[in-house]
Amino acid sequence: MNEISVHILTTDGPVAIQRISEEDPIVSSVICLDGRAQALPISPAYEAFIRSPIGIIEKMTGHPAYRMDVSARIDEGRSWQLAACIAHAAALQKSGWQGRIYATGEVDNDLAVRPVEQIPLKLAALQAALNDGVDGSGNAMVLVPKDDQSLPDEINGIPVHAVGTVSEALALAGLSWPVRTELHSVTKPKANRGRGLAILLSAALVAALV
């Protein structure tokens, strides 16, 4: 089991991504609150983030529908996307790195991490949560988009890293971008050529018998 825990930075404090589970491909992806039968209003945005051709997670995993449980409400914006992307990657592969990741950032179709608003407030909320007793022991890192604004080097001893791409963020956690759709795009043409060759051989055999 992977020992990376991922948290979304918000202005109200860090929100833990508790679990990611595959769902039936015919249903829409949802974000639920703390394991309850309650889909959060931001679920349609999560569905768009997951499912191809708009979303990127299906391109990573080969699966189009998920349920993501979080410890507190997330109601708007796109700044949860970087943390969600890392959590999906961590669910697929093992990493030699173990610890907690606090992340904020929008992810675009080119896997670039775009700037988001209120990063200083989110870092202040993280610091307040750590001061109030949120577990700050062990390995941890904070991941934020590269931007012109000045950022602290650390929050309560936790290093702050500015990243420009998803690959940079994953590499810091010992993960990689496991794109699986490339395999399908390579194998499908071969199958078509094989069927075409079989049809031609059959036609030639019939002609010879006649």
Side-chain angles (χ1 to χ4, degrees):
M1 181 178 179
N2 208 306
E3 296 298 332
I4 295 177
S5 63
V6 185
H7 305 254
I8 303 165
L9 288 177
T10 77
T11 55
D12 294 323
V15 174
I17 297 177
Q18 300 167 317
R19 181 177 61 182
I20 291 176
S21 55
E22 289 188 355
E23 299 297 331
D24 192 307
I26 67 172
V27 304
S28 298
S29 296
V30 293
I31 297 179
C32 294
L33 179 62
D34 196 29
R36 296 184 176 95
Q38 176 183 357
L40 296 180
I42 200 164
S43 292
Y46 179 60
E47 160 71 6
F49 185 64
I50 296 291
R51 197 176 295 265
S52 180
I54 297 175
I56 64 172
I57 299 300
E58 184 179 356
K59 298 173 186 177
M60 174 203 286
T61 67
H63 191 75
Y66 289 89
R67 169 179 171 144
M68 184 169 76
D69 284 282
V70 294
S71 62
R73 293 182 66 90
I74 304 170
D75 292 327
E76 60 183 12
R78 299 184 181 90
S79 61
W80 50 269
Q81 292 180 345
L82 177 59
C85 200
I86 296 169
H88 277 274
L92 283 175
Q93 53 191 294
K94 294 182 179 180
S95 170
W97 188 87
Q98 297 182 356
R100 289 163 291 112
I101 296 175
Y102 301 99
T104 183
E106 179 184 353
V107 177
D108 67 19
N109 189 58
D110 295 321
L111 305 184
V113 179
R114 296 194 176 191
V116 293
E117 297 179 348
Q118 299 182 317
I119 290 180
L121 289 178
K122 294 173 182 178
L123 295 179
L126 172 61
Q127 185 168 29
L130 293 171
N131 291 337
D132 287 341
V134 171
D135 184 12
S137 62
N139 290 337
M141 68 176 76
V142 177
L143 303 180
V144 298
K146 286 183 178 177
D147 203 352
D148 293 334
Q149 63 184 341
S150 59
L151 296 170
D153 295 328
E154 50 86 21
I155 300 291
N156 282 32
I158 299 175
V160 176
H161 300 279
V163 295
T165 66
V166 170
S167 295
E168 289 179 38
L170 295 179
L172 287 168
L175 300 168
S176 60
W177 179 258
V179 177
R180 297 178 179 178
T181 53
E182 292 179 355
L183 178 62
H184 303 311
S185 66
V186 170
T187 56
K188 284 182 179 178
K190 291 182 179 179
N192 291 337
R193 287 198 298 269
R195 287 196 297 271
L197 180 60
I199 292 171
L200 289 175
L201 289 175
S202 297
L205 179 59
V206 170
L209 291 175
V210 172

